PDB file of all heavy atoms in Angstrom:
ATOM      1  N   LEU A  23      -3.042  23.349   0.092  1.00 86.00           N
ATOM      2  CA  LEU A  23      -3.604  23.548   1.424  1.00 86.00           C
ATOM      3  C   LEU A  23      -4.358  24.866   1.513  1.00 86.00           C
ATOM      4  O   LEU A  23      -5.395  24.960   2.169  1.00 86.00           O
ATOM      5  CB  LEU A  23      -2.497  23.506   2.484  1.00 86.00           C
ATOM      6  CG  LEU A  23      -1.898  22.136   2.776  1.00 86.00           C
ATOM      7  CD1 LEU A  23      -0.689  22.257   3.693  1.00 86.00           C
ATOM      8  CD2 LEU A  23      -2.944  21.229   3.398  1.00 86.00           C
ATOM      9  N   ALA A  24      -3.843  25.899   0.861  1.00 88.00           N
ATOM     10  CA  ALA A  24      -4.487  27.214   0.904  1.00 88.00           C
ATOM     11  C   ALA A  24      -5.798  27.230   0.118  1.00 88.00           C
ATOM     12  O   ALA A  24      -6.685  28.049   0.400  1.00 88.00           O
ATOM     13  CB  ALA A  24      -3.541  28.270   0.353  1.00 88.00           C
ATOM     14  N   SER A  25      -5.946  26.329  -0.842  1.00 87.00           N
ATOM     15  CA  SER A  25      -7.155  26.334  -1.665  1.00 87.00           C
ATOM     16  C   SER A  25      -8.321  25.567  -1.025  1.00 87.00           C
ATOM     17  O   SER A  25      -9.433  25.606  -1.536  1.00 87.00           O
ATOM     18  CB  SER A  25      -6.845  25.734  -3.037  1.00 87.00           C
ATOM     19  OG  SER A  25      -6.619  24.347  -2.909  1.00 87.00           O
ATOM     20  N   ILE A  26      -8.076  24.880   0.067  1.00 83.00           N
ATOM     21  CA  ILE A  26      -9.141  24.126   0.722  1.00 83.00           C
ATOM     22  C   ILE A  26     -10.090  25.095   1.415  1.00 83.00           C
ATOM     23  O   ILE A  26      -9.671  25.978   2.161  1.00 83.00           O
ATOM     24  CB  ILE A  26      -8.563  23.127   1.749  1.00 83.00           C
ATOM     25  CG1 ILE A  26      -7.735  22.072   1.027  1.00 83.00           C
ATOM     26  CG2 ILE A  26      -9.675  22.473   2.563  1.00 83.00           C
ATOM     27  CD1 ILE A  26      -7.015  21.122   1.958  1.00 83.00           C
ATOM     28  N   ALA A  27     -11.389  24.933   1.140  1.00 78.00           N
ATOM     29  CA  ALA A  27     -12.408  25.792   1.746  1.00 78.00           C
ATOM     30  C   ALA A  27     -13.271  24.941   2.679  1.00 78.00           C
ATOM     31  O   ALA A  27     -14.183  24.251   2.228  1.00 78.00           O
ATOM     32  CB  ALA A  27     -13.251  26.448   0.676  1.00 78.00           C
ATOM     33  N   PRO A  28     -13.015  24.976   3.987  1.00 77.00           N
ATOM     34  CA  PRO A  28     -13.756  24.110   4.904  1.00 77.00           C
ATOM     35  C   PRO A  28     -15.216  24.492   5.063  1.00 77.00           C
ATOM     36  O   PRO A  28     -16.016  23.719   5.551  1.00 77.00           O
ATOM     37  CB  PRO A  28     -13.001  24.258   6.221  1.00 77.00           C
ATOM     38  CG  PRO A  28     -12.315  25.567   6.129  1.00 77.00           C
ATOM     39  CD  PRO A  28     -12.010  25.768   4.677  1.00 77.00           C
ATOM     40  N   GLY A  29     -15.598  25.678   4.627  1.00 83.00           N
ATOM     41  CA  GLY A  29     -16.978  26.103   4.778  1.00 83.00           C
ATOM     42  C   GLY A  29     -17.935  25.457   3.799  1.00 83.00           C
ATOM     43  O   GLY A  29     -19.144  25.560   3.948  1.00 83.00           O
ATOM     44  N   GLU A  30     -17.420  24.778   2.791  1.00 82.00           N
ATOM     45  CA  GLU A  30     -18.287  24.165   1.783  1.00 82.00           C
ATOM     46  C   GLU A  30     -19.170  23.084   2.380  1.00 82.00           C
ATOM     47  O   GLU A  30     -20.368  23.018   2.087  1.00 82.00           O
ATOM     48  CB  GLU A  30     -17.445  23.583   0.653  1.00 82.00           C
ATOM     49  CG  GLU A  30     -16.761  24.640  -0.193  1.00 82.00           C
ATOM     50  CD  GLU A  30     -15.830  24.034  -1.234  1.00 82.00           C
ATOM     51  OE1 GLU A  30     -15.789  22.796  -1.337  1.00 82.00           O
ATOM     52  OE2 GLU A  30     -15.158  24.798  -1.932  1.00 82.00           O
ATOM     53  N   ALA A  31     -18.627  22.235   3.230  1.00 84.00           N
ATOM     54  CA  ALA A  31     -19.422  21.165   3.847  1.00 84.00           C
ATOM     55  C   ALA A  31     -20.485  21.747   4.766  1.00 84.00           C
ATOM     56  O   ALA A  31     -21.623  21.270   4.792  1.00 84.00           O
ATOM     57  CB  ALA A  31     -18.511  20.216   4.611  1.00 84.00           C
ATOM     58  N   LEU A  32     -20.138  22.759   5.506  1.00 88.00           N
ATOM     59  CA  LEU A  32     -21.098  23.407   6.406  1.00 88.00           C
ATOM     60  C   LEU A  32     -22.225  24.058   5.611  1.00 88.00           C
ATOM     61  O   LEU A  32     -23.398  23.949   5.972  1.00 88.00           O
ATOM     62  CB  LEU A  32     -20.385  24.447   7.269  1.00 88.00           C
ATOM     63  CG  LEU A  32     -21.235  25.169   8.297  1.00 88.00           C
ATOM     64  CD1 LEU A  32     -21.847  24.188   9.275  1.00 88.00           C
ATOM     65  CD2 LEU A  32     -20.401  26.198   9.034  1.00 88.00           C
ATOM     66  N   THR A  33     -21.889  24.712   4.515  1.00 90.00           N
ATOM     67  CA  THR A  33     -22.908  25.340   3.672  1.00 90.00           C
ATOM     68  C   THR A  33     -23.835  24.293   3.065  1.00 90.00           C
ATOM     69  O   THR A  33     -25.056  24.462   3.060  1.00 90.00           O
ATOM     70  CB  THR A  33     -22.230  26.152   2.546  1.00 90.00           C
ATOM     71  OG1 THR A  33     -21.378  27.121   3.141  1.00 90.00           O
ATOM     72  CG2 THR A  33     -23.247  26.830   1.669  1.00 90.00           C
ATOM     73  N   LEU A  34     -23.283  23.218   2.561  1.00 92.00           N
ATOM     74  CA  LEU A  34     -24.086  22.155   1.968  1.00 92.00           C
ATOM     75  C   LEU A  34     -25.010  21.529   3.008  1.00 92.00           C
ATOM     76  O   LEU A  34     -26.189  21.305   2.746  1.00 92.00           O
ATOM     77  CB  LEU A  34     -23.184  21.090   1.342  1.00 92.00           C
ATOM     78  CG  LEU A  34     -23.901  19.929   0.667  1.00 92.00           C
ATOM     79  CD1 LEU A  34     -24.770  20.441  -0.475  1.00 92.00           C
ATOM     80  CD2 LEU A  34     -22.897  18.914   0.176  1.00 92.00           C
ATOM     81  N   ALA A  35     -24.495  21.265   4.190  1.00 93.00           N
ATOM     82  CA  ALA A  35     -25.322  20.691   5.257  1.00 93.00           C
ATOM     83  C   ALA A  35     -26.450  21.642   5.643  1.00 93.00           C
ATOM     84  O   ALA A  35     -27.587  21.214   5.859  1.00 93.00           O
ATOM     85  CB  ALA A  35     -24.456  20.369   6.470  1.00 93.00           C
ATOM     86  N   THR A  36     -26.163  22.930   5.714  1.00 94.00           N
ATOM     87  CA  THR A  36     -27.185  23.916   6.054  1.00 94.00           C
ATOM     88  C   THR A  36     -28.278  23.967   4.993  1.00 94.00           C
ATOM     89  O   THR A  36     -29.466  24.014   5.320  1.00 94.00           O
ATOM     90  CB  THR A  36     -26.547  25.308   6.217  1.00 94.00           C
ATOM     91  OG1 THR A  36     -25.515  25.228   7.214  1.00 94.00           O
ATOM     92  CG2 THR A  36     -27.564  26.337   6.624  1.00 94.00           C
ATOM     93  N   VAL A  37     -27.901  23.948   3.736  1.00 95.00           N
ATOM     94  CA  VAL A  37     -28.886  23.974   2.655  1.00 95.00           C
ATOM     95  C   VAL A  37     -29.774  22.732   2.704  1.00 95.00           C
ATOM     96  O   VAL A  37     -30.998  22.821   2.556  1.00 95.00           O
ATOM     97  CB  VAL A  37     -28.179  24.099   1.288  1.00 95.00           C
ATOM     98  CG1 VAL A  37     -29.126  23.834   0.139  1.00 95.00           C
ATOM     99  CG2 VAL A  37     -27.542  25.473   1.153  1.00 95.00           C
ATOM    100  N   ILE A  38     -29.188  21.581   2.922  1.00 96.00           N
ATOM    101  CA  ILE A  38     -29.962  20.339   2.997  1.00 96.00           C
ATOM    102  C   ILE A  38     -30.935  20.388   4.173  1.00 96.00           C
ATOM    103  O   ILE A  38     -32.101  19.999   4.046  1.00 96.00           O
ATOM    104  CB  ILE A  38     -29.026  19.124   3.082  1.00 96.00           C
ATOM    105  CG1 ILE A  38     -28.298  18.928   1.756  1.00 96.00           C
ATOM    106  CG2 ILE A  38     -29.794  17.862   3.467  1.00 96.00           C
ATOM    107  CD1 ILE A  38     -27.209  17.893   1.789  1.00 96.00           C
ATOM    108  N   ILE A  39     -30.488  20.882   5.315  1.00 96.00           N
ATOM    109  CA  ILE A  39     -31.349  20.985   6.491  1.00 96.00           C
ATOM    110  C   ILE A  39     -32.495  21.950   6.240  1.00 96.00           C
ATOM    111  O   ILE A  39     -33.655  21.662   6.570  1.00 96.00           O
ATOM    112  CB  ILE A  39     -30.533  21.397   7.728  1.00 96.00           C
ATOM    113  CG1 ILE A  39     -29.631  20.248   8.155  1.00 96.00           C
ATOM    114  CG2 ILE A  39     -31.433  21.821   8.871  1.00 96.00           C
ATOM    115  CD1 ILE A  39     -28.600  20.609   9.190  1.00 96.00           C
ATOM    116  N   VAL A  40     -32.209  23.097   5.634  1.00 96.00           N
ATOM    117  CA  VAL A  40     -33.258  24.088   5.366  1.00 96.00           C
ATOM    118  C   VAL A  40     -34.294  23.517   4.403  1.00 96.00           C
ATOM    119  O   VAL A  40     -35.503  23.647   4.631  1.00 96.00           O
ATOM    120  CB  VAL A  40     -32.647  25.394   4.821  1.00 96.00           C
ATOM    121  CG1 VAL A  40     -33.706  26.307   4.261  1.00 96.00           C
ATOM    122  CG2 VAL A  40     -31.874  26.107   5.920  1.00 96.00           C
ATOM    123  N   PHE A  41     -33.863  22.874   3.328  1.00 94.00           N
ATOM    124  CA  PHE A  41     -34.802  22.276   2.379  1.00 94.00           C
ATOM    125  C   PHE A  41     -35.659  21.199   3.051  1.00 94.00           C
ATOM    126  O   PHE A  41     -36.856  21.103   2.803  1.00 94.00           O
ATOM    127  CB  PHE A  41     -34.085  21.686   1.170  1.00 94.00           C
ATOM    128  CG  PHE A  41     -33.723  22.707   0.133  1.00 94.00           C
ATOM    129  CD1 PHE A  41     -32.510  22.632  -0.523  1.00 94.00           C
ATOM    130  CD2 PHE A  41     -34.576  23.741  -0.189  1.00 94.00           C
ATOM    131  CE1 PHE A  41     -32.165  23.572  -1.487  1.00 94.00           C
ATOM    132  CE2 PHE A  41     -34.244  24.680  -1.143  1.00 94.00           C
ATOM    133  CZ  PHE A  41     -33.037  24.602  -1.797  1.00 94.00           C
ATOM    134  N   THR A  42     -35.051  20.378   3.898  1.00 93.00           N
ATOM    135  CA  THR A  42     -35.793  19.336   4.597  1.00 93.00           C
ATOM    136  C   THR A  42     -36.856  19.935   5.508  1.00 93.00           C
ATOM    137  O   THR A  42     -38.007  19.488   5.518  1.00 93.00           O
ATOM    138  CB  THR A  42     -34.829  18.455   5.409  1.00 93.00           C
ATOM    139  OG1 THR A  42     -33.842  17.904   4.536  1.00 93.00           O
ATOM    140  CG2 THR A  42     -35.572  17.336   6.116  1.00 93.00           C
ATOM    141  N   VAL A  43     -36.492  20.955   6.259  1.00 94.00           N
ATOM    142  CA  VAL A  43     -37.451  21.600   7.158  1.00 94.00           C
ATOM    143  C   VAL A  43     -38.585  22.252   6.369  1.00 94.00           C
ATOM    144  O   VAL A  43     -39.758  22.137   6.747  1.00 94.00           O
ATOM    145  CB  VAL A  43     -36.733  22.630   8.063  1.00 94.00           C
ATOM    146  CG1 VAL A  43     -37.731  23.500   8.804  1.00 94.00           C
ATOM    147  CG2 VAL A  43     -35.806  21.931   9.040  1.00 94.00           C
ATOM    148  N   VAL A  44     -38.261  22.899   5.269  1.00 92.00           N
ATOM    149  CA  VAL A  44     -39.296  23.541   4.451  1.00 92.00           C
ATOM    150  C   VAL A  44     -40.256  22.501   3.873  1.00 92.00           C
ATOM    151  O   VAL A  44     -41.479  22.677   3.927  1.00 92.00           O
ATOM    152  CB  VAL A  44     -38.661  24.390   3.329  1.00 92.00           C
ATOM    153  CG1 VAL A  44     -39.690  24.801   2.301  1.00 92.00           C
ATOM    154  CG2 VAL A  44     -37.976  25.604   3.919  1.00 92.00           C
ATOM    155  N   ILE A  45     -39.733  21.419   3.347  1.00 89.00           N
ATOM    156  CA  ILE A  45     -40.581  20.380   2.767  1.00 89.00           C
ATOM    157  C   ILE A  45     -41.484  19.758   3.833  1.00 89.00           C
ATOM    158  O   ILE A  45     -42.681  19.565   3.611  1.00 89.00           O
ATOM    159  CB  ILE A  45     -39.716  19.309   2.072  1.00 89.00           C
ATOM    160  CG1 ILE A  45     -39.093  19.901   0.811  1.00 89.00           C
ATOM    161  CG2 ILE A  45     -40.528  18.066   1.740  1.00 89.00           C
ATOM    162  CD1 ILE A  45     -38.024  19.039   0.182  1.00 89.00           C
ATOM    163  N   LEU A  46     -40.934  19.464   4.999  1.00 87.00           N
ATOM    164  CA  LEU A  46     -41.755  18.885   6.066  1.00 87.00           C
ATOM    165  C   LEU A  46     -42.793  19.877   6.577  1.00 87.00           C
ATOM    166  O   LEU A  46     -43.915  19.483   6.908  1.00 87.00           O
ATOM    167  CB  LEU A  46     -40.864  18.413   7.212  1.00 87.00           C
ATOM    168  CG  LEU A  46     -39.986  17.206   6.902  1.00 87.00           C
ATOM    169  CD1 LEU A  46     -39.073  16.902   8.082  1.00 87.00           C
ATOM    170  CD2 LEU A  46     -40.837  16.006   6.570  1.00 87.00           C
ATOM    171  N   THR A  47     -42.448  21.161   6.627  1.00 91.00           N
ATOM    172  CA  THR A  47     -43.399  22.176   7.068  1.00 91.00           C
ATOM    173  C   THR A  47     -44.556  22.293   6.084  1.00 91.00           C
ATOM    174  O   THR A  47     -45.724  22.367   6.489  1.00 91.00           O
ATOM    175  CB  THR A  47     -42.691  23.537   7.227  1.00 91.00           C
ATOM    176  OG1 THR A  47     -41.623  23.388   8.171  1.00 91.00           O
ATOM    177  CG2 THR A  47     -43.647  24.603   7.700  1.00 91.00           C
ATOM    178  N   VAL A  48     -44.262  22.310   4.806  1.00 86.00           N
ATOM    179  CA  VAL A  48     -45.317  22.401   3.791  1.00 86.00           C
ATOM    180  C   VAL A  48     -46.202  21.156   3.843  1.00 86.00           C
ATOM    181  O   VAL A  48     -47.434  21.266   3.782  1.00 86.00           O
ATOM    182  CB  VAL A  48     -44.709  22.591   2.383  1.00 86.00           C
ATOM    183  CG1 VAL A  48     -45.751  22.404   1.304  1.00 86.00           C
ATOM    184  CG2 VAL A  48     -44.071  23.959   2.280  1.00 86.00           C
ATOM    185  N   ALA A  49     -45.610  19.983   3.990  1.00 82.00           N
ATOM    186  CA  ALA A  49     -46.399  18.754   4.070  1.00 82.00           C
ATOM    187  C   ALA A  49     -47.309  18.766   5.298  1.00 82.00           C
ATOM    188  O   ALA A  49     -48.486  18.412   5.215  1.00 82.00           O
ATOM    189  CB  ALA A  49     -45.478  17.538   4.096  1.00 82.00           C
TER     190      ALA A  49
END
Side-chain angles (χ1 to χ4, degrees):
L23 287 172
S25 70
I26 295 174
E30 291 175 4
L32 182 60
T33 302
L34 181 61
T36 303
V37 168
I38 291 171
I39 290 169
V40 168
F41 279 140
T42 303
V43 169
V44 167
I45 290 169
L46 291 176
T47 302
V48 168

